Amino acid sequence: PGLMNHHHPRSKLMEFPYVSAPHRNLMVDIVSKVEAHLSSSLLPCTLPQDVEYFENESGTAQSALLVRSAVPSSQIDFILGSWLHCGLPTGGALNITSFSGYLNSSTDAPNFLVELIQSSPTSMILILDLPPRKDLVLHDEYLKTFYEDTLLDDKRKHLEKLVEVKPYFTSSLYIRSVVSPTAIMVRIETGTDEAEQLEEIVRDHVSPIAKEVLQIWLELCACGKREVEQEEMIALAKRDKITKSKTIEIDLGSNLPRLFGEVAAARVLESLKEVY
Amino acid sequence: PGLMNHHHPRSKLMEFPYVSAPHRNLMVDIVSKVEAHLSSSLLPCTLPQDVEYFENESGTAQSALLVRSAVPSSQIDFILGSWLHCGLPTGGALNITSFSGYLNSSTDAPNFLVELIQSSPTSMILILDLPPRKDLVLHDEYLKTFYEDTLLDDKRKHLEKLVEVKPYFTSSLYIRSVVSPTAIMVRIETGTDEAEQLEEIVRDHVSPIAKEVLQIWLELCACGKREVEQEEMIALAKRDKITKSKTIEIDLGSNLPRLFGEVAAARVLESLKEVY
């Protein structure tokens, strides 16, 4: 591993600082599994250094990004990992870690998305989904193949049974429209000052479920073969383009300038738009 | 009113028997408001008598339907109201009342749907929505016009604040895909043996909200003008056809034969398919 590290320095992304050990382990595991599984398809990250990691002037807000495009012959469009840390005036901190995998129009299979948003030691929002790339109302077989036959809803039901877990409704109606009917969007809330309890839930429930969903994505979506006709490819590319730019806009468009200033925000968004 | 009743006998639908007064009042109000608002467009119900009302041999299961198509020049496809009562082996009863309004392809505006499913005096499932008729991911302006600018989500939030109200996840992933991001899908559960409390929630919260959503539908959707191009009309007609037949299949396809026997079920489904 020493030699490996020498030749391929780990990105700042993989540090996932400020979050609990189970939370960090989950994110590192996800990124590692994807990179290992798709290694022959992925190109190195080409983000400029000041986009791979950046902070605000006072150092209270920090963020790291990793974007890897893929070789044209693969079904992968790109993968995107990020963490964001931001000290809050209350003394607490906001920590967001996320990972997404986007496929290209040679397949119509769903993308992958996991995001953990922690605004206190006892409260976390989890978003975990395989967002569909077609209108499910029109495509029966697609709903069956990716959402019914995979029993994805059982994972949502498992989490729903925990007393600490409540459904979460994001304020963005667009995000609600983009996710699948089996999307896990929950708020996990544990007793006051019991950070340990939340860590246990991440380790014992969130982590195994996130890895199972990732496994489905890697095998069935990223590497499974689907017949896509020329006309459909065009429709997929159009829809993908919209979802990617809207997602950037909603996710980063308002947060980055506020946290890091206009200049840094513009630099980061420009770099990302090259890949999107 | 005496004269009116003589010329236009009220349908069995409007009796909404077996349910509480606030529940019945809500359903009668909704059907009446729609019939009054759209009276110039709606044709009389042409269902055969044994489809307008039917029961099983032992009389433990009963149901009434009302379907009214519309004149071709209107934006209405048809309206559909129903109630279903079914005695349970436990001594309790299942009561489902529903009303939907479907628009035709001269407009792309959303449909209307309200359904109350009561399986005990202290527990009810409410589904209330303007189901979209286009892929919201692709149609930004549509999402804004019908779901954001109308502040529909405020109504969901209002109900969500009541301690008796919990989000409800239907087991049908198709139904989850068909509804909008502001759909109200909740389970209302009150203390043991306090039927009165549930009735109060229906009267004070469900009823006003359902009528507000209906009002939005009547003004903005059923009667608002939208530009729809020829090509889009074809796409709308195709999508509408799928959602209507899938909804029948899921809603009635399994329940009717089980409750009323194969013969009655086939007769009812045939009649409905003529309108759908």
Side-chain angles (χ1 to χ4, degrees), chain B residues 116-149:
Chain B
L116 281 74
I117 303 166
Q118 182 154 25
S119 57
S120 93
T122 60
S123 167
M124 175 181 279
I125 288 161
L126 166 68
I127 298 175
L128 175 63
D129 193 31
L130 303 184
R133 292 170 62 218
K134 299 169 96 159
D135 182 359
L136 295 177
V137 170
L138 284 176
H139 299 96
D140 223 12
E141 172 269 346
Y142 193 88
L143 182 67
K144 186 171 183 301
T145 302
F146 293 111
Y147 301 100
E148 288 175 354
D149 293 350

Side-chain angles (χ1 to χ4, degrees), chain B residues 6 18 36 46 79 84 94-95 106 133 146 154 160 185 210 222 224 231 233 276:
Chain B
H6 179 67
Y18 303 108
T46 57
I79 62 170
L84 184 149
L94 172 70
N95 284 295
S106 68
R133 292 170 62 218
F146 293 111
D154 288 354
E160 192 188 40
M185 300 182 88
E231 201 181 325
M233 276 193 183
Y276 271 48

Side-chain angles (χ1 to χ4, degrees), chain A residues 251-263:
Chain A
D251 243 22
L252 306 176
S254 65
N255 281 329
L256 287 190
R258 195 168 47 80
L259 295 175
F260 299 98
E262 295 291 344
V263 178

Side-chain angles (χ1 to χ4, degrees), chain B residues 14-32:
Chain B
M14 291 299 252
E15 294 178 9
F16 290 107
Y18 303 108
V19 299
S20 71
H23 182 159
R24 181 184 314 116
N25 292 342
L26 168 59
M27 293 306 302
V28 169
D29 276 5
I30 284 177
V31 181
S32 308

Side-chain angles (χ1 to χ4, degrees), chain A residues 134-138 140 143 147-148 153 156 160 167 169 173-174 176-178 181-182 238-239 242-243 246, chain B residues 134-138 140 143 147-148 153 156 160 167 169 173-174 176-178 181-182 238-239 242-243 246:
Chain A
K134 299 168 95 157
D135 182 359
L136 297 177
V137 170
L138 284 175
D140 224 12
L143 182 67
Y147 302 99
E148 288 174 355
D153 206 40
R156 192 192 57 76
E160 191 188 41
F169 292 85
L173 299 187
Y174 189 81
R176 288 191 211 166
S177 307
V178 160
T182 59
K238 184 186 161 197
R239 197 179 190 278
I242 295 176
T243 58
K246 282 289 283 184
Chain B
K134 299 169 96 159
D135 182 359
L136 295 177
V137 170
L138 284 176
D140 223 12
L143 182 67
Y147 301 100
E148 288 175 354
D153 206 40
R156 193 192 57 75
E160 192 188 40
F169 292 85
L173 300 187
Y174 189 81
R176 288 191 212 166
S177 306
V178 160
T182 58
K238 184 186 162 199
R239 195 179 191 277
I242 295 175
T243 57
K246 283 287 284 186

